[in-house]
Amino acid sequence: MSTFDRLAEHLRGVLARAKDRPAFQQNVQAQQEVLSRYRDAFSPAHISQLSEETFRSFLYFENNKHWTGLHRQIRRLTENMDSLRQALAVLVDEQRPLAPRFDETLQRVTGLGKALASAILLVTYPDRYGVWNNISESALKILDAWPEFERGATTGQKYAQLNQLFLRLARALDIDLWTLDWLLWELVREQEQPEAPDVDIPPPTPEAQTFSLERHLHDFLASSWERIELGQEWQIYRDSDDDMVGYEFPTGVGRIDILARHKRRPAWLVVELKRDRAADQVVGQLLRYMGWIKRHMARPGDEVHGLIIARDIDESLLYALEGMQDRNVLLMRYHVQFHLEPVKQGVEKE
């Protein structure tokens, strides 16, 4: 069986398991809502009138229904709306070949990465373009289906090759590219949270609130990296494809919360948020990621460090790390402070 056939067969299984779940039905319903709201706005005929308000709204999950994290570069993206409109006009101009216009768009606007560019293409032309982001890349790597690219291939050339794979998969599974994007996310979710229940909205329990805080912590660490202690020594990993590729970095064994490189030494830092997981699970996952980096990213002589960031540190986590001092694994605790203060009511008389 070929690599493509194995990939398609695995995704058929994911699709069969997902079709009766509420999340799948929500995904189907969301497509028309999102296309109705944004497809025309990003079209070649109207891109020159794209408003900052419409563009900003698209970057948030509650509006695009599919993609988290697009808003992280929102200030840089909207600094010059005229330049942004011109770059997006290049992106959606199908009179030009895909690879060069994809490359030109990313080069024109700082902070506009492959994830946002390909999401805009999908919304504008839902039957012709798939999404290349850390989720879809992680899914392909998990199934050992990540393509071989020619040495020196540009980001646009890589995307053009990936898009042919996305189109072929959608045809083989008889689904649209929007659903394929969701399906790749579902594959990663199954791999990372195999026992996770299918619930629409978690109740406002302390556990759910903690998980929400840690989702925001993840975004805060990425967007504020240079202003926190870690940013003094470490820089979030970047490459020619994406300045923020180290955020939820895709590997063949899951996604690293944050991957960083030392600013002066040949060293890597794998950052993992504990979230609501058992100590054995988070430590095992961290070691798995560190091993993957050593094998696939680090050069001979590079150091690979691990860091676990947790809100609550219990004895089981401390015991798990007790015998790992020689593995360069550190532990940090974070604190969240929230205060309410009374406001004096009434208008003071002069």
Side-chain angles (χ1 to χ4, degrees):
M1 184 180 291
S2 69
T3 299
F4 176 83
D5 290 337
R6 284 190 288 104
L7 173 61
E9 188 64 25
H10 193 106
L11 286 172
R12 283 192 190 94
V14 177
L15 182 61
R17 291 189 295 274
K19 271 192 171 180
D20 294 330
R21 294 176 52 232
F24 180 82
Q25 303 305 322
Q26 292 168 3
N27 165 72
V28 173
Q29 294 168 7
Q31 180 179 14
Q32 288 307 313
E33 177 185 343
V34 174
L35 294 183
S36 297
R37 183 172 181 180
Y38 295 107
R39 185 178 185 180
D40 193 53
F42 288 124
S43 69
H46 297 94
I47 194 69
S48 61
Q49 287 85 45
L50 178 69
S51 70
E52 181 174 343
E53 179 183 3
T54 298
F55 178 76
R56 280 176 169 266
S57 70
F58 178 73
L59 301 182
Y60 290 93
F61 174 79
E62 57 263 33
N63 300 317
N64 66 56
K65 309 295 183 182
H66 251 217
W67 307 289
T68 61
L70 297 182
H71 64 280
R72 288 195 300 269
Q73 303 284 347
I74 190 168
R75 279 183 287 184
R76 297 167 73 186
L77 289 167
T78 56
E79 282 178 347
N80 187 325
M81 283 300 299
D82 285 336
S83 294
L84 176 64
R85 293 185 193 100
Q86 292 168 12
L88 294 181
V90 171
L91 178 67
V92 299
D93 180 8
E94 290 198 302
Q95 300 301 311
R96 298 181 54 182
L98 174 58
R101 60 185 159 97
F102 199 87
D103 284 327
E104 182 178 340
T105 301
L106 269 57
Q107 291 163 6
R108 280 186 174 219
V109 181
T110 302
L112 180 58
K114 58 183 181 288
L116 176 55
S118 56
I120 290 173
L121 282 174
L122 184 149
V123 170
T124 311
Y125 304 106
D127 59 339
R128 294 201 281 279
Y129 300 101
V131 173
W132 176 16
N133 55 25
N134 284 358
I135 296 290
S136 57
E137 183 172 333
S138 184
L140 295 177
K141 287 180 176 178
I142 287 170
L143 297 179
D144 198 24
W146 185 244
E148 292 288 336
F149 300 111
E150 291 186 9
R151 175 171 292 189
T154 67
T155 303
Q157 290 168 339
K158 292 177 182 178
Y159 175 64
Q161 185 174 337
L162 281 168
N163 194 51
Q164 290 303 309
L165 176 59
F166 295 145
L167 290 167
R168 190 179 172 196
L169 280 171
R171 287 193 297 267
L173 299 171
D174 194 24
I175 57 176
D176 54 52
L177 291 161
W178 171 277
T179 303
L180 176 64
D181 180 66
W182 183 87
L183 200 60
L184 293 171
W185 173 86
E186 179 67 10
L187 185 153
V188 173
R189 186 200 68 81
E190 285 189 355
Q191 197 260 358
E192 294 181 351
Q193 300 173 313
E195 303 301 326
D198 181 26
V199 294
D200 296 336
I201 301 176
T205 62
E207 292 78 9
Q209 292 170 358
T210 298
F211 180 84
S212 178
L213 281 173
E214 287 173 336
R215 176 73 252 180
H216 289 295
L217 172 66
H218 195 182
D219 288 337
F220 172 79
L221 287 173
S223 61
S224 308
W225 188 265
E226 293 298 327
R227 299 192 297 274
I228 61 178
E229 296 88 338
L230 292 170
Q232 303 306 307
E233 298 287 328
W234 301 90
Q235 182 180 58
I236 294 179
Y237 176 62
R238 61 182 61 180
D239 63 16
S240 59
D241 293 338
D242 195 337
D243 284 348
M244 290 291 291
V245 71
Y247 180 91
E248 294 188 334
F249 183 77
T251 75
V253 291
R255 287 174 297 151
I256 298 172
D257 282 336
I258 295 177
L259 177 64
R261 295 210 67 177
H262 201 275
K263 292 182 176 180
R264 293 174 294 279
R265 303 197 318 269
W268 300 81
L269 181 66
V270 177
V271 181
E272 190 68 13
L273 305 184
K274 184 177 182 294
R275 297 188 174 90
D276 189 22
R277 292 178 293 170
D280 291 347
Q281 183 182 4
V282 70
V283 171
Q285 189 161 307
L286 179 69
L287 293 178
R288 193 161 61 245
Y289 293 154
M290 292 173 66
W292 193 94
I293 293 297
K294 286 180 180 179
R295 177 176 296 185
H296 296 280
M297 303 286 290
R299 296 178 178 178
D302 283 5
E303 303 170 12
V304 179
H305 300 261
L307 170 63
I308 296 173
I309 299 178
R311 183 177 68 97
D312 297 317
I313 299 174
D314 53 25
E315 281 192 352
S316 59
L317 181 56
L318 294 174
Y319 277 124
L321 297 177
E322 184 71 24
M324 298 176 54
Q325 295 179 4
D326 59 335
R327 292 180 179 265
N328 296 326
V329 176
L330 302 175
L331 178 64
M332 297 182 75
R333 188 200 311 268
Y334 76 89
H335 299 275
V336 176
Q337 293 183 335
F338 178 77
H339 298 285
L340 293 173
E341 60 180 29
V343 176
K344 186 176 181 181
Q345 299 184 26
V347 179
E348 294 184 0
K349 296 181 179 179
E350 296 185 358

